[in-house]
Amino acid sequence: MNQVFITGTDTEVGKTYVSSLLIKYIKQHKRAVTGFKPIAAGAEQAFGELVNEDALTLLESGNVALPYKLINPFCFEPPIAPHIAAKKAGVEISKTALSNHLGVLKQQELDHLIIEGAGGWALPINDNDLLSDWVSEQNLPVILVVGLKLGCLNHALLTLSHIKQSGVKCVGWIANYVDDGMLEQDENLQTLKARLDCPLLAIAPNCKNDKPKLQVYQALNTALNLTN
């Protein structure tokens, strides 16, 4: 099973939006694919359980029928930092628990698994660990979603630097147009292309587009192992 971890330069940069587009793109290649949102904060009761909108989006984007709990094992109602939400709920998030849940998914009949993080790269999951520590232990390749908005240059460069320091391979980045009002968007995009030391894999259109579709570069097919 091919796995990739989707992180972002910040919260609200479109990780779920991009992840769902990636899942749909993989489906076009006739591969069995689903998303995995191990941790989510911000949920409501539906179908007799707490569900998170982003996790539901990932589940509905895939082509494999799986229980919601497999896609989003740690789900908390308040939209706050997950480690704080977990404490309030009396739940412990650990790297071991995350690995166990991933292990269950590995037993499913999947060709690809798109794993979406929460918040940004350096997300605390408990008093000692970051989600990025778990990504490093699992040796997951990473795709960085850069939300094109004011401040994205600093956020992208700092995030990529931290990813590299974690010993994780960033296979590339995806530009996501999250702010229609951003000045000099194209110039910022060119600066990112020149300064980020990994390939631009795709460009995501604004989510208000009626039929959003990734502008894909060949490097994305290589990163997702779709070239075979």
Side-chain angles (χ1 to χ4, degrees), residues 34-99:
T34 192
F36 178 36
K37 179 82 172 174
I39 304 170
E44 58 185 28
Q45 288 287 338
F47 319 115
E49 62 182 338
L50 274 177
V51 296
N52 170 265
E53 183 179 0
D54 291 346
L56 281 176
T57 297
L58 297 183
L59 181 61
E60 293 167 356
S61 297
N63 56 6
V64 179
L66 294 171
Y68 177 84
K69 279 292 186 183
L70 277 185
I71 300 303
N72 180 210
F74 291 102
C75 186
F76 306 102
E77 186 172 3
I80 58 178
H83 74 292
I84 298 175
K87 277 188 177 181
K88 289 181 175 293
V91 174
E92 180 184 1
I93 306 174
S94 68
K95 293 184 291 182
T96 298
L98 294 175
S99 298

Side-chain angles (χ1 to χ4, degrees), residues 93-102 125 129 134 137-138:
I93 306 174
S94 68
K95 293 184 291 182
T96 298
L98 294 175
S99 298
N100 290 339
H101 288 295
L102 179 60
I125 58 173
D129 302 312
W134 175 74
E137 285 187 3
Q138 292 295 318

Side-chain angles (χ1 to χ4, degrees), residues 23 25 35 49 80 105 172 185 195 210 223:
I23 292 170
Y25 179 72
E49 62 182 338
I80 58 178
L105 278 170
Q185 279 189 335
R195 291 182 177 269
D210 289 338

